[in-house]
Amino acid sequence: MADGDKGAARWRIIADLLRSDVLQDHHQPGQALPGEAFLATEYATSRPTIRKAIAQLVGEGLLTVAHGRGTFVRPAPDRRTILTGWAEHDDLLSPAYDPTRQGWEHVTVPSEAERADNGVVPNSALFMTVEGSKADVLAVRRGRMIVYRYAYWQHAKTRARIHLCSYLLADQVATITGEGADRDIEPHVEPDDYYAYLEREHGPLRWSTSMHAQMPYGETWEDLGMEPIGTPLLVVRRVMLSSNGRPLEFTEIEAPADRFEVASAADDRGEPGGTAALRV
């Protein structure tokens, strides 16, 4: 085995041993690991090899590095529940909806200043074209007009944040004439009337909910107050369907996966003071 292969194997072995210690609670959540010099002596290896093993566990979300203070076992925060399949399908992004009824408050995030410069105001309706996977979810061609809305909420007790956004087919709530830059849009309804209007025109409405995880992108980790390394993003997607199964709108909720989990309303025990943080 070449020296380079031996070095690679060594740091992986040490990472496995450290991981086992963390998972078996030999190092408690929040506890500092011994320093690099001590670990290098303990495992008869070099400090760069120890550093590489620690970086692996940081990437896995088991450890966190506080520069100038050391390496710590990452605490597992109490997760709040996003409850799907709730009987009342509220328009969470309506200006009339009050998030405090579910224990939330609106919050401004670092990247909102740039969005505001581009004319995007939280909870307002912005007409834009739909592209990529969003067009696929709505089963329309790229370039179709949609109504886009978004907001950031912060849980009043835990201070954990979520990002909500909605993509609604514009021709369901507006009259659109012209092409390209010459498009003329005349809205039918106000944003807080969307769901009642769509129920009348396309109901009875149905709802489909899915969930997946991905790594955070761009400024997402900063906007949601996430650890920059080792924390996946939980994405909950709710699609509104017309009576004939046509997608009309989809809402996405992005949340730190170490702070939230998803459960079905059918499994909810309805315990007073339970951990449900959001019902969708």
Side-chain angles (χ1 to χ4, degrees):
M1 180 182 291
D3 291 342
D5 293 334
K6 290 180 180 178
R10 187 66 180 162
W11 75 260
R12 290 186 185 278
I13 291 171
I14 294 170
D16 290 343
L17 293 171
L18 288 174
R19 185 188 301 108
S20 178
D21 284 347
V22 170
L23 294 178
Q24 294 179 27
D25 293 331
H26 293 163
H27 301 295
Q28 297 297 314
Q31 179 182 349
L33 254 64
E36 287 181 2
F38 178 89
L39 291 174
T41 301
E42 181 77 7
Y43 291 109
T45 190
S46 66
R47 292 179 67 169
T49 299
I50 294 295
R51 203 170 296 133
K52 194 167 185 179
I54 288 174
Q56 173 67 26
L57 299 191
V58 169
E60 294 175 8
L62 294 176
L63 302 178
T64 183
V65 176
H67 295 291
R69 294 179 53 218
T71 301
F72 297 83
V73 178
R74 190 169 173 180
D78 292 335
R79 286 187 174 90
R80 310 293 290 190
T81 302
I82 297 174
L83 197 62
T84 64
W86 196 248
E88 299 178 8
H89 293 97
D90 294 313
D91 184 356
L92 302 177
L93 288 164
S94 166
Y97 186 81
D98 180 10
T100 61
R101 61 188 278 194
Q102 292 199 57
W104 294 87
E105 57 194 16
H106 287 284
V107 65
T108 300
V109 302
S111 62
E112 276 195 6
E114 179 180 347
R115 294 190 182 104
D117 290 341
N118 294 327
V120 182
V121 181
N123 275 49
S124 68
L126 177 70
F127 287 91
M128 60 187 293
T129 58
V130 65
E131 306 294 340
S133 62
K134 298 174 179 62
D136 295 336
V137 173
L138 290 169
V140 297
R141 58 178 173 78
R142 275 71 169 161
R144 279 283 296 275
M145 292 294 292
I146 59 169
V147 179
Y148 169 71
R149 298 173 295 158
Y150 85 95
Y152 286 86
W153 290 358
Q154 183 169 269
H155 194 263
K157 291 183 178 179
T158 67
R159 317 310 288 171
R161 294 178 183 175
I162 62 172
H163 172 224
L164 306 96
C165 60
S166 165
Y167 304 86
L168 175 72
L169 290 177
D171 58 9
Q172 305 304 314
V173 293
T175 299
I176 303 174
T177 59
E179 295 290 337
D182 296 326
R183 283 176 172 150
D184 182 44
I185 304 171
E186 180 182 347
H188 286 171
V189 296
E190 295 300 321
D192 54 345
D193 293 330
Y194 282 171
Y195 284 19
Y197 176 82
L198 292 169
E199 182 70 41
R200 291 194 304 269
E201 295 295 315
H202 303 284
L205 301 176
R206 296 187 290 113
W207 309 84
S208 174
T209 305
S210 62
M211 182 270 292
H212 68 273
Q214 64 185 56
M215 295 309 295
Y217 53 90
E219 298 170 321
T220 303
W221 66 270
E222 184 179 12
D223 287 344
L224 294 179
M226 301 169 62
E227 290 280 348
I229 299 176
T231 304
L233 187 68
L234 186 64
V235 182
V236 182
R237 177 176 288 174
R238 188 182 74 179
V239 181
M240 179 200 299
L241 303 167
S242 69
S243 58
N244 62 6
R246 179 188 180 189
L248 301 174
E249 178 229 36
F250 77 89
T251 304
E252 279 189 335
I253 298 172
E254 296 179 329
D258 64 339
R259 307 297 300 275
F260 293 92
E261 59 189 16
V262 178
S264 168
D267 299 326
D268 182 47
R269 300 294 181 266
E271 298 175 1
T275 61
L278 182 64
R279 297 179 174 91
V280 298

